[in-house]
Amino acid sequence: MKRHVLIFGVVGGLLIATLQYTEYRFVIIEHSVELYSALVAILFATFGIWLGLRITRSRETIRETVVVKEVLVPAEAPAPGPTAPAPFAPNTSRRQTLGITARELEILSLVARGYSNREIATQLFVSENTVKTHCARAFDKLGAARRTQAVQRGKELGLLP
Amino acid sequence: MKRHVLIFGVVGGLLIATLQYTEYRFVIIEHSVELYSALVAILFATFGIWLGLRITRSRETIRETVVVKEVLVPAEAPAPGPTAPAPFAPNTSRRQTLGITARELEILSLVARGYSNREIATQLFVSENTVKTHCARAFDKLGAARRTQAVQRGKELGLLP
DNA sequence: GTTGTCGTCATCCTTTCGCATGATTTTTTG
DNA sequence: CAAAAAATCATGCGAAAGGATGACGACAAC
């Protein structure tokens, strides 16, 4: 990475030189303009690098803080819904709010277990197209574009274990 | 590396083209020197930021690994209750037993959140092909054929929240 | 009886995934 | 430093998934 900066500097210098050369071919402007432009370029390049470093550094700090926090706090679950912790029950109300049918949720749970559409079709004795249709509708109601996203949403909403 | 220089060359070419363009307008408009300088400044600042991001990118992964190592939380916990967000304790020992690298797990966690390969690539500033490669390796190590299956396995093994 | 919902199935088409393979570069480690 | 490991990128292909749309039968509700 040190080489990055080095090459950047060299190429930047060459670029500026070329810049000035072309500037010279267009003999219209005064000398101060070239110098001014080069200075501006260097200044902003330096500033850009500094800013880039600055940005990523703060991001690192944030990430680390988050991780540590997650480690130290064992149960910060918002726990939506007044439901018992042990089994898995509270799907129906939220499911119906979203208009997701029982069949769709059934397919969704199989999707969450990692089955392909074909496997699900075989397992439920229906055609693959039917599975696709159920999936599409469930995805639409969940606002998901992919099955992984649908699974994630389903878990967030307490529809899936 | 070669690519960096290439990109820089392209940017340089664009810069010079812009230079000539502004040069042309300079004959007509008096105040185009400022415009020209501003363009140079923006370009170099952008490049600098990009470079800064690229340089410090690797540090994040390292830091994450270190933090993860300090965690001592044991098992996976099938997560009782509705939305039971486990305190995210990435099991490093199990991860290393399977030979899954930190980067692969990072990609896997984004997969679990429902992102597409392209989205992941954009987020991590890498190409989609790279994401695919990481995915393929992680899937292989997890014995998964699909990404949903990989996510399921990852959660079972306590690698994912 | 008409209406509406649900489950089922299909076809066409596009996008995304997954897999294999090879290569280069960067980072870590001995 | 040299070797090993990890990360990166590319390409090509076949399979899977997803979107759009239309259709049909069962069944309950109005």
PDB file of all heavy atoms in Angstrom, chain D residues 1-14:
ATOM      1  P    DC D   1      13.002  -8.606   1.360  1.00  0.00           P
ATOM      2  OP1  DC D   1      13.559  -7.262   1.289  1.00  0.00           O
ATOM      3  OP2  DC D   1      11.571  -8.937   1.352  1.00  0.00           O
ATOM      4  O5'  DC D   1      13.661  -9.535   0.259  1.00  0.00           O
ATOM      5  C5'  DC D   1      14.915 -10.152   0.616  1.00  0.00           C
ATOM      6  C4'  DC D   1      14.731 -11.643   0.817  1.00  0.00           C
ATOM      7  O4'  DC D   1      14.247 -11.911   2.164  1.00  0.00           O
ATOM      8  C3'  DC D   1      13.736 -12.289  -0.135  1.00  0.00           C
ATOM      9  O3'  DC D   1      14.277 -13.537  -0.575  1.00  0.00           O
ATOM     10  C2'  DC D   1      12.498 -12.519   0.745  1.00  0.00           C
ATOM     11  C1'  DC D   1      13.132 -12.796   2.093  1.00  0.00           C
ATOM     12  N1   DC D   1      12.253 -12.515   3.265  1.00  0.00           N
ATOM     13  C2   DC D   1      11.851 -13.570   4.101  1.00  0.00           C
ATOM     14  O2   DC D   1      12.226 -14.720   3.849  1.00  0.00           O
ATOM     15  N3   DC D   1      11.048 -13.307   5.164  1.00  0.00           N
ATOM     16  C4   DC D   1      10.658 -12.056   5.407  1.00  0.00           C
ATOM     17  N4   DC D   1       9.887 -11.838   6.463  1.00  0.00           N
ATOM     18  C5   DC D   1      11.056 -10.967   4.581  1.00  0.00           C
ATOM     19  C6   DC D   1      11.836 -11.239   3.521  1.00  0.00           C
ATOM     20  P    DA D   2      13.901 -14.162  -1.952  1.00  0.00           P
ATOM     21  OP1  DA D   2      15.132 -14.601  -2.635  1.00  0.00           O
ATOM     22  OP2  DA D   2      12.967 -13.234  -2.601  1.00  0.00           O
ATOM     23  O5'  DA D   2      13.101 -15.475  -1.535  1.00  0.00           O
ATOM     24  C5'  DA D   2      13.744 -16.477  -0.751  1.00  0.00           C
ATOM     25  C4'  DA D   2      12.716 -17.465  -0.240  1.00  0.00           C
ATOM     26  O4'  DA D   2      11.934 -16.848   0.818  1.00  0.00           O
ATOM     27  C3'  DA D   2      11.711 -17.959  -1.283  1.00  0.00           C
ATOM     28  O3'  DA D   2      11.475 -19.345  -1.087  1.00  0.00           O
ATOM     29  C2'  DA D   2      10.467 -17.125  -0.995  1.00  0.00           C
ATOM     30  C1'  DA D   2      10.551 -16.913   0.509  1.00  0.00           C
ATOM     31  N9   DA D   2       9.934 -15.669   0.984  1.00  0.00           N
ATOM     32  C8   DA D   2      10.039 -14.430   0.409  1.00  0.00           C
ATOM     33  N7   DA D   2       9.397 -13.485   1.062  1.00  0.00           N
ATOM     34  C5   DA D   2       8.832 -14.153   2.142  1.00  0.00           C
ATOM     35  C6   DA D   2       8.026 -13.709   3.211  1.00  0.00           C
ATOM     36  N6   DA D   2       7.644 -12.441   3.369  1.00  0.00           N
ATOM     37  N1   DA D   2       7.633 -14.637   4.113  1.00  0.00           N
ATOM     38  C2   DA D   2       8.028 -15.900   3.952  1.00  0.00           C
ATOM     39  N3   DA D   2       8.784 -16.429   2.991  1.00  0.00           N
ATOM     40  C4   DA D   2       9.162 -15.498   2.110  1.00  0.00           C
ATOM     41  P    DA D   3      10.591 -20.149  -2.098  1.00  0.00           P
ATOM     42  OP1  DA D   3      11.348 -21.353  -2.502  1.00  0.00           O
ATOM     43  OP2  DA D   3      10.063 -19.232  -3.138  1.00  0.00           O
ATOM     44  O5'  DA D   3       9.384 -20.601  -1.159  1.00  0.00           O
ATOM     45  C5'  DA D   3       9.670 -21.210   0.090  1.00  0.00           C
ATOM     46  C4'  DA D   3       8.407 -21.350   0.912  1.00  0.00           C
ATOM     47  O4'  DA D   3       7.995 -20.043   1.401  1.00  0.00           O
ATOM     48  C3'  DA D   3       7.224 -21.929   0.156  1.00  0.00           C
ATOM     49  O3'  DA D   3       6.564 -22.884   0.964  1.00  0.00           O
ATOM     50  C2'  DA D   3       6.337 -20.710  -0.109  1.00  0.00           C
ATOM     51  C1'  DA D   3       6.639 -19.815   1.079  1.00  0.00           C
ATOM     52  N9   DA D   3       6.489 -18.378   0.812  1.00  0.00           N
ATOM     53  C8   DA D   3       6.990 -17.685  -0.253  1.00  0.00           C
ATOM     54  N7   DA D   3       6.716 -16.405  -0.217  1.00  0.00           N
ATOM     55  C5   DA D   3       5.978 -16.242   0.954  1.00  0.00           C
ATOM     56  C6   DA D   3       5.398 -15.121   1.560  1.00  0.00           C
ATOM     57  N6   DA D   3       5.453 -13.889   1.057  1.00  0.00           N
ATOM     58  N1   DA D   3       4.734 -15.314   2.728  1.00  0.00           N
ATOM     59  C2   DA D   3       4.674 -16.539   3.240  1.00  0.00           C
ATOM     60  N3   DA D   3       5.194 -17.676   2.751  1.00  0.00           N
ATOM     61  C4   DA D   3       5.841 -17.453   1.598  1.00  0.00           C
ATOM     62  P    DA D   4       5.328 -23.687   0.434  1.00  0.00           P
ATOM     63  OP1  DA D   4       5.444 -25.077   0.907  1.00  0.00           O
ATOM     64  OP2  DA D   4       5.181 -23.407  -1.013  1.00  0.00           O
ATOM     65  O5'  DA D   4       4.126 -22.995   1.216  1.00  0.00           O
ATOM     66  C5'  DA D   4       4.194 -22.886   2.635  1.00  0.00           C
ATOM     67  C4'  DA D   4       2.993 -22.108   3.167  1.00  0.00           C
ATOM     68  O4'  DA D   4       3.129 -20.709   2.829  1.00  0.00           O
ATOM     69  C3'  DA D   4       1.639 -22.558   2.603  1.00  0.00           C
ATOM     70  O3'  DA D   4       0.707 -22.644   3.663  1.00  0.00           O
ATOM     71  C2'  DA D   4       1.275 -21.447   1.615  1.00  0.00           C
ATOM     72  C1'  DA D   4       1.921 -20.234   2.255  1.00  0.00           C
ATOM     73  N9   DA D   4       2.274 -19.162   1.321  1.00  0.00           N
ATOM     74  C8   DA D   4       2.909 -19.274   0.121  1.00  0.00           C
ATOM     75  N7   DA D   4       3.102 -18.127  -0.498  1.00  0.00           N
ATOM     76  C5   DA D   4       2.544 -17.198   0.371  1.00  0.00           C
ATOM     77  C6   DA D   4       2.415 -15.794   0.310  1.00  0.00           C
ATOM     78  N6   DA D   4       2.857 -15.051  -0.707  1.00  0.00           N
ATOM     79  N1   DA D   4       1.813 -15.170   1.342  1.00  0.00           N
ATOM     80  C2   DA D   4       1.368 -15.903   2.362  1.00  0.00           C
ATOM     81  N3   DA D   4       1.428 -17.224   2.540  1.00  0.00           N
ATOM     82  C4   DA D   4       2.033 -17.809   1.497  1.00  0.00           C
ATOM     83  P    DA D   5      -0.734 -23.207   3.430  1.00  0.00           P
ATOM     84  OP1  DA D   5      -1.052 -24.134   4.522  1.00  0.00           O
ATOM     85  OP2  DA D   5      -0.844 -23.647   2.024  1.00  0.00           O
ATOM     86  O5'  DA D   5      -1.623 -21.900   3.631  1.00  0.00           O
ATOM     87  C5'  DA D   5      -1.446 -21.087   4.789  1.00  0.00           C
ATOM     88  C4'  DA D   5      -2.206 -19.788   4.634  1.00  0.00           C
ATOM     89  O4'  DA D   5      -1.559 -18.942   3.658  1.00  0.00           O
ATOM     90  C3'  DA D   5      -3.657 -19.943   4.169  1.00  0.00           C
ATOM     91  O3'  DA D   5      -4.501 -19.161   4.989  1.00  0.00           O
ATOM     92  C2'  DA D   5      -3.641 -19.440   2.730  1.00  0.00           C
ATOM     93  C1'  DA D   5      -2.531 -18.405   2.789  1.00  0.00           C
ATOM     94  N9   DA D   5      -1.879 -18.135   1.511  1.00  0.00           N
ATOM     95  C8   DA D   5      -1.407 -19.037   0.610  1.00  0.00           C
ATOM     96  N7   DA D   5      -0.862 -18.488  -0.456  1.00  0.00           N
ATOM     97  C5   DA D   5      -0.977 -17.134  -0.220  1.00  0.00           C
ATOM     98  C6   DA D   5      -0.592 -16.004  -0.968  1.00  0.00           C
ATOM     99  N6   DA D   5       0.020 -16.077  -2.146  1.00  0.00           N
ATOM    100  N1   DA D   5      -0.861 -14.790  -0.448  1.00  0.00           N
ATOM    101  C2   DA D   5      -1.480 -14.713   0.740  1.00  0.00           C
ATOM    102  N3   DA D   5      -1.889 -15.701   1.535  1.00  0.00           N
ATOM    103  C4   DA D   5      -1.603 -16.899   0.991  1.00  0.00           C
ATOM    104  P    DA D   6      -6.066 -19.375   4.952  1.00  0.00           P
ATOM    105  OP1  DA D   6      -6.538 -19.575   6.327  1.00  0.00           O
ATOM    106  OP2  DA D   6      -6.388 -20.374   3.915  1.00  0.00           O
ATOM    107  O5'  DA D   6      -6.552 -17.946   4.450  1.00  0.00           O
ATOM    108  C5'  DA D   6      -5.860 -16.784   4.876  1.00  0.00           C
ATOM    109  C4'  DA D   6      -6.114 -15.635   3.922  1.00  0.00           C
ATOM    110  O4'  DA D   6      -5.257 -15.746   2.753  1.00  0.00           O
ATOM    111  C3'  DA D   6      -7.545 -15.535   3.373  1.00  0.00           C
ATOM    112  O3'  DA D   6      -8.051 -14.246   3.652  1.00  0.00           O
ATOM    113  C2'  DA D   6      -7.402 -15.792   1.878  1.00  0.00           C
ATOM    114  C1'  DA D   6      -5.974 -15.325   1.629  1.00  0.00           C
ATOM    115  N9   DA D   6      -5.332 -15.912   0.462  1.00  0.00           N
ATOM    116  C8   DA D   6      -5.234 -17.233   0.133  1.00  0.00           C
ATOM    117  N7   DA D   6      -4.581 -17.450  -0.985  1.00  0.00           N
ATOM    118  C5   DA D   6      -4.229 -16.187  -1.413  1.00  0.00           C
ATOM    119  C6   DA D   6      -3.524 -15.724  -2.541  1.00  0.00           C
ATOM    120  N6   DA D   6      -3.018 -16.532  -3.468  1.00  0.00           N
ATOM    121  N1   DA D   6      -3.347 -14.392  -2.671  1.00  0.00           N
ATOM    122  C2   DA D   6      -3.851 -13.585  -1.728  1.00  0.00           C
ATOM    123  N3   DA D   6      -4.531 -13.898  -0.633  1.00  0.00           N
ATOM    124  C4   DA D   6      -4.688 -15.223  -0.536  1.00  0.00           C
ATOM    125  P    DA D   7      -9.578 -13.932   3.460  1.00  0.00           P
ATOM    126  OP1  DA D   7     -10.001 -13.215   4.678  1.00  0.00           O
ATOM    127  OP2  DA D   7     -10.287 -15.134   3.010  1.00  0.00           O
ATOM    128  O5'  DA D   7      -9.562 -12.872   2.265  1.00  0.00           O
ATOM    129  C5'  DA D   7      -8.653 -11.788   2.314  1.00  0.00           C
ATOM    130  C4'  DA D   7      -8.480 -11.201   0.932  1.00  0.00           C
ATOM    131  O4'  DA D   7      -7.695 -12.094   0.120  1.00  0.00           O
ATOM    132  C3'  DA D   7      -9.795 -10.967   0.163  1.00  0.00           C
ATOM    133  O3'  DA D   7      -9.938  -9.598  -0.141  1.00  0.00           O
ATOM    134  C2'  DA D   7      -9.663 -11.837  -1.090  1.00  0.00           C
ATOM    135  C1'  DA D   7      -8.162 -12.015  -1.208  1.00  0.00           C
ATOM    136  N9   DA D   7      -7.778 -13.246  -1.886  1.00  0.00           N
ATOM    137  C8   DA D   7      -8.085 -14.528  -1.532  1.00  0.00           C
ATOM    138  N7   DA D   7      -7.596 -15.436  -2.339  1.00  0.00           N
ATOM    139  C5   DA D   7      -6.919 -14.702  -3.285  1.00  0.00           C
ATOM    140  C6   DA D   7      -6.169 -15.072  -4.421  1.00  0.00           C
ATOM    141  N6   DA D   7      -5.992 -16.337  -4.796  1.00  0.00           N
ATOM    142  N1   DA D   7      -5.621 -14.078  -5.158  1.00  0.00           N
ATOM    143  C2   DA D   7      -5.804 -12.807  -4.770  1.00  0.00           C
ATOM    144  N3   DA D   7      -6.482 -12.348  -3.728  1.00  0.00           N
ATOM    145  C4   DA D   7      -7.012 -13.347  -3.025  1.00  0.00           C
ATOM    146  P    DT D   8     -11.250  -9.089  -0.823  1.00  0.00           P
ATOM    147  OP1  DT D   8     -11.420  -7.691  -0.365  1.00  0.00           O
ATOM    148  OP2  DT D   8     -12.318 -10.082  -0.649  1.00  0.00           O
ATOM    149  O5'  DT D   8     -10.854  -9.042  -2.370  1.00  0.00           O
ATOM    150  C5'  DT D   8      -9.765  -8.247  -2.807  1.00  0.00           C
ATOM    151  C4'  DT D   8      -9.366  -8.620  -4.222  1.00  0.00           C
ATOM    152  O4'  DT D   8      -8.954 -10.002  -4.255  1.00  0.00           O
ATOM    153  C3'  DT D   8     -10.495  -8.519  -5.250  1.00  0.00           C
ATOM    154  O3'  DT D   8     -10.441  -7.273  -5.905  1.00  0.00           O
ATOM    155  C2'  DT D   8     -10.212  -9.682  -6.211  1.00  0.00           C
ATOM    156  C1'  DT D   8      -9.033 -10.415  -5.596  1.00  0.00           C
ATOM    157  N1   DT D   8      -9.176 -11.875  -5.617  1.00  0.00           N
ATOM    158  C2   DT D   8      -8.538 -12.583  -6.595  1.00  0.00           C
ATOM    159  O2   DT D   8      -7.852 -12.061  -7.460  1.00  0.00           O
ATOM    160  N3   DT D   8      -8.730 -13.937  -6.543  1.00  0.00           N
ATOM    161  C4   DT D   8      -9.471 -14.649  -5.619  1.00  0.00           C
ATOM    162  O4   DT D   8      -9.562 -15.869  -5.674  1.00  0.00           O
ATOM    163  C5   DT D   8     -10.109 -13.847  -4.617  1.00  0.00           C
ATOM    164  C7   DT D   8     -10.940 -14.507  -3.558  1.00  0.00           C
ATOM    165  C6   DT D   8      -9.926 -12.526  -4.661  1.00  0.00           C
ATOM    166  P    DC D   9     -11.665  -6.840  -6.734  1.00  0.00           P
ATOM    167  OP1  DC D   9     -11.410  -5.421  -7.046  1.00  0.00           O
ATOM    168  OP2  DC D   9     -12.886  -7.238  -6.024  1.00  0.00           O
ATOM    169  O5'  DC D   9     -11.564  -7.675  -8.087  1.00  0.00           O
ATOM    170  C5'  DC D   9     -10.474  -7.435  -8.971  1.00  0.00           C
ATOM    171  C4'  DC D   9     -10.494  -8.457 -10.102  1.00  0.00           C
ATOM    172  O4'  DC D   9     -10.274  -9.776  -9.581  1.00  0.00           O
ATOM    173  C3'  DC D   9     -11.809  -8.538 -10.877  1.00  0.00           C
ATOM    174  O3'  DC D   9     -11.639  -7.960 -12.156  1.00  0.00           O
ATOM    175  C2'  DC D   9     -12.128 -10.034 -10.940  1.00  0.00           C
ATOM    176  C1'  DC D   9     -10.817 -10.678 -10.509  1.00  0.00           C
ATOM    177  N1   DC D   9     -10.973 -11.994  -9.855  1.00  0.00           N
ATOM    178  C2   DC D   9     -10.377 -13.116 -10.438  1.00  0.00           C
ATOM    179  O2   DC D   9      -9.730 -12.981 -11.471  1.00  0.00           O
ATOM    180  N3   DC D   9     -10.533 -14.320  -9.838  1.00  0.00           N
ATOM    181  C4   DC D   9     -11.244 -14.428  -8.719  1.00  0.00           C
ATOM    182  N4   DC D   9     -11.365 -15.630  -8.165  1.00  0.00           N
ATOM    183  C5   DC D   9     -11.860 -13.285  -8.109  1.00  0.00           C
ATOM    184  C6   DC D   9     -11.699 -12.096  -8.710  1.00  0.00           C
ATOM    185  P    DA D  10     -12.862  -7.789 -13.121  1.00  0.00           P
ATOM    186  OP1  DA D  10     -12.628  -6.608 -13.961  1.00  0.00           O
ATOM    187  OP2  DA D  10     -14.096  -7.909 -12.322  1.00  0.00           O
ATOM    188  O5'  DA D  10     -12.725  -9.084 -14.038  1.00  0.00           O
ATOM    189  C5'  DA D  10     -11.455  -9.434 -14.575  1.00  0.00           C
ATOM    190  C4'  DA D  10     -11.563 -10.757 -15.329  1.00  0.00           C
ATOM    191  O4'  DA D  10     -11.447 -11.847 -14.378  1.00  0.00           O
ATOM    192  C3'  DA D  10     -12.900 -10.949 -16.055  1.00  0.00           C
ATOM    193  O3'  DA D  10     -12.675 -11.120 -17.445  1.00  0.00           O
ATOM    194  C2'  DA D  10     -13.494 -12.198 -15.433  1.00  0.00           C
ATOM    195  C1'  DA D  10     -12.300 -12.885 -14.803  1.00  0.00           C
ATOM    196  N9   DA D  10     -12.665 -13.668 -13.624  1.00  0.00           N
ATOM    197  C8   DA D  10     -13.198 -13.211 -12.453  1.00  0.00           C
ATOM    198  N7   DA D  10     -13.431 -14.149 -11.577  1.00  0.00           N
ATOM    199  C5   DA D  10     -13.029 -15.306 -12.210  1.00  0.00           C
ATOM    200  C6   DA D  10     -13.026 -16.649 -11.813  1.00  0.00           C
ATOM    201  N6   DA D  10     -13.458 -17.068 -10.625  1.00  0.00           N
ATOM    202  N1   DA D  10     -12.557 -17.565 -12.696  1.00  0.00           N
ATOM    203  C2   DA D  10     -12.124 -17.139 -13.893  1.00  0.00           C
ATOM    204  N3   DA D  10     -12.085 -15.904 -14.374  1.00  0.00           N
ATOM    205  C4   DA D  10     -12.554 -15.026 -13.477  1.00  0.00           C
ATOM    206  P    DT D  11     -13.868 -10.984 -18.462  1.00  0.00           P
ATOM    207  OP1  DT D  11     -13.564  -9.853 -19.323  1.00  0.00           O
ATOM    208  OP2  DT D  11     -15.147 -11.049 -17.712  1.00  0.00           O
ATOM    209  O5'  DT D  11     -13.789 -12.336 -19.303  1.00  0.00           O
ATOM    210  C5'  DT D  11     -12.906 -13.375 -18.908  1.00  0.00           C
ATOM    211  C4'  DT D  11     -13.514 -14.714 -19.280  1.00  0.00           C
ATOM    212  O4'  DT D  11     -13.669 -15.513 -18.071  1.00  0.00           O
ATOM    213  C3'  DT D  11     -14.903 -14.632 -19.911  1.00  0.00           C
ATOM    214  O3'  DT D  11     -14.988 -15.584 -20.959  1.00  0.00           O
ATOM    215  C2'  DT D  11     -15.822 -14.987 -18.768  1.00  0.00           C
ATOM    216  C1'  DT D  11     -14.989 -15.999 -18.004  1.00  0.00           C
ATOM    217  N1   DT D  11     -15.340 -16.138 -16.574  1.00  0.00           N
ATOM    218  C2   DT D  11     -15.200 -17.371 -15.969  1.00  0.00           C
ATOM    219  O2   DT D  11     -14.806 -18.354 -16.558  1.00  0.00           O
ATOM    220  N3   DT D  11     -15.543 -17.404 -14.646  1.00  0.00           N
ATOM    221  C4   DT D  11     -16.006 -16.353 -13.870  1.00  0.00           C
ATOM    222  O4   DT D  11     -16.282 -16.506 -12.688  1.00  0.00           O
ATOM    223  C5   DT D  11     -16.132 -15.089 -14.564  1.00  0.00           C
ATOM    224  C7   DT D  11     -16.618 -13.892 -13.829  1.00  0.00           C
ATOM    225  C6   DT D  11     -15.795 -15.046 -15.860  1.00  0.00           C
ATOM    226  P    DG D  12     -16.155 -15.525 -22.030  1.00  0.00           P
ATOM    227  OP1  DG D  12     -15.688 -14.842 -23.237  1.00  0.00           O
ATOM    228  OP2  DG D  12     -17.363 -15.038 -21.336  1.00  0.00           O
ATOM    229  O5'  DG D  12     -16.377 -17.070 -22.365  1.00  0.00           O
ATOM    230  C5'  DG D  12     -15.646 -18.071 -21.680  1.00  0.00           C
ATOM    231  C4'  DG D  12     -16.588 -19.162 -21.182  1.00  0.00           C
ATOM    232  O4'  DG D  12     -16.766 -19.032 -19.752  1.00  0.00           O
ATOM    233  C3'  DG D  12     -17.994 -19.109 -21.790  1.00  0.00           C
ATOM    234  O3'  DG D  12     -18.323 -20.407 -22.269  1.00  0.00           O
ATOM    235  C2'  DG D  12     -18.887 -18.686 -20.630  1.00  0.00           C
ATOM    236  C1'  DG D  12     -18.128 -19.250 -19.438  1.00  0.00           C
ATOM    237  N9   DG D  12     -18.389 -18.570 -18.175  1.00  0.00           N
ATOM    238  C8   DG D  12     -18.544 -17.212 -17.955  1.00  0.00           C
ATOM    239  N7   DG D  12     -18.764 -16.911 -16.699  1.00  0.00           N
ATOM    240  C5   DG D  12     -18.760 -18.146 -16.058  1.00  0.00           C
ATOM    241  C6   DG D  12     -18.948 -18.449 -14.682  1.00  0.00           C
ATOM    242  O6   DG D  12     -19.157 -17.684 -13.744  1.00  0.00           O
ATOM    243  N1   DG D  12     -18.862 -19.820 -14.462  1.00  0.00           N
ATOM    244  C2   DG D  12     -18.640 -20.774 -15.423  1.00  0.00           C
ATOM    245  N2   DG D  12     -18.600 -22.032 -15.021  1.00  0.00           N
ATOM    246  N3   DG D  12     -18.457 -20.489 -16.706  1.00  0.00           N
ATOM    247  C4   DG D  12     -18.538 -19.168 -16.945  1.00  0.00           C
ATOM    248  P    DC D  13     -19.598 -20.619 -23.190  1.00  0.00           P
ATOM    249  OP1  DC D  13     -19.170 -21.369 -24.369  1.00  0.00           O
ATOM    250  OP2  DC D  13     -20.345 -19.354 -23.320  1.00  0.00           O
ATOM    251  O5'  DC D  13     -20.440 -21.596 -22.260  1.00  0.00           O
ATOM    252  C5'  DC D  13     -19.794 -22.684 -21.612  1.00  0.00           C
ATOM    253  C4'  DC D  13     -20.658 -23.190 -20.472  1.00  0.00           C
ATOM    254  O4'  DC D  13     -20.559 -22.285 -19.353  1.00  0.00           O
ATOM    255  C3'  DC D  13     -22.141 -23.301 -20.813  1.00  0.00           C
ATOM    256  O3'  DC D  13     -22.560 -24.633 -20.638  1.00  0.00           O
ATOM    257  C2'  DC D  13     -22.825 -22.352 -19.840  1.00  0.00           C
ATOM    258  C1'  DC D  13     -21.816 -22.235 -18.714  1.00  0.00           C
ATOM    259  N1   DC D  13     -21.901 -20.957 -17.952  1.00  0.00           N
ATOM    260  C2   DC D  13     -22.038 -20.993 -16.559  1.00  0.00           C
ATOM    261  O2   DC D  13     -22.096 -22.084 -15.989  1.00  0.00           O
ATOM    262  N3   DC D  13     -22.105 -19.831 -15.877  1.00  0.00           N
ATOM    263  C4   DC D  13     -22.038 -18.671 -16.528  1.00  0.00           C
ATOM    264  N4   DC D  13     -22.104 -17.556 -15.817  1.00  0.00           N
ATOM    265  C5   DC D  13     -21.900 -18.605 -17.943  1.00  0.00           C
ATOM    266  C6   DC D  13     -21.830 -19.766 -18.614  1.00  0.00           C
ATOM    267  P    DG D  14     -23.882 -25.122 -21.352  1.00  0.00           P
ATOM    268  OP1  DG D  14     -23.520 -26.290 -22.165  1.00  0.00           O
ATOM    269  OP2  DG D  14     -24.580 -23.974 -21.957  1.00  0.00           O
ATOM    270  O5'  DG D  14     -24.746 -25.640 -20.117  1.00  0.00           O
ATOM    271  C5'  DG D  14     -24.146 -26.498 -19.149  1.00  0.00           C
ATOM    272  C4'  DG D  14     -24.881 -26.373 -17.830  1.00  0.00           C
ATOM    273  O4'  DG D  14     -24.669 -25.049 -17.280  1.00  0.00           O
ATOM    274  C3'  DG D  14     -26.397 -26.552 -17.949  1.00  0.00           C
ATOM    275  O3'  DG D  14     -26.841 -27.379 -16.892  1.00  0.00           O
ATOM    276  C2'  DG D  14     -26.937 -25.128 -17.818  1.00  0.00           C
ATOM    277  C1'  DG D  14     -25.910 -24.505 -16.896  1.00  0.00           C
ATOM    278  N9   DG D  14     -25.816 -23.056 -16.986  1.00  0.00           N
ATOM    279  C8   DG D  14     -25.760 -22.288 -18.123  1.00  0.00           C
ATOM    280  N7   DG D  14     -25.681 -21.001 -17.884  1.00  0.00           N
ATOM    281  C5   DG D  14     -25.673 -20.925 -16.506  1.00  0.00           C
ATOM    282  C6   DG D  14     -25.601 -19.796 -15.653  1.00  0.00           C
ATOM    283  O6   DG D  14     -25.529 -18.603 -15.966  1.00  0.00           O
ATOM    284  N1   DG D  14     -25.627 -20.172 -14.316  1.00  0.00           N
ATOM    285  C2   DG D  14     -25.714 -21.450 -13.848  1.00  0.00           C
ATOM    286  N2   DG D  14     -25.724 -21.617 -12.531  1.00  0.00           N
ATOM    287  N3   DG D  14     -25.780 -22.506 -14.627  1.00  0.00           N
ATOM    288  C4   DG D  14     -25.756 -22.178 -15.942  1.00  0.00           C
TER     289       DG D  14
END
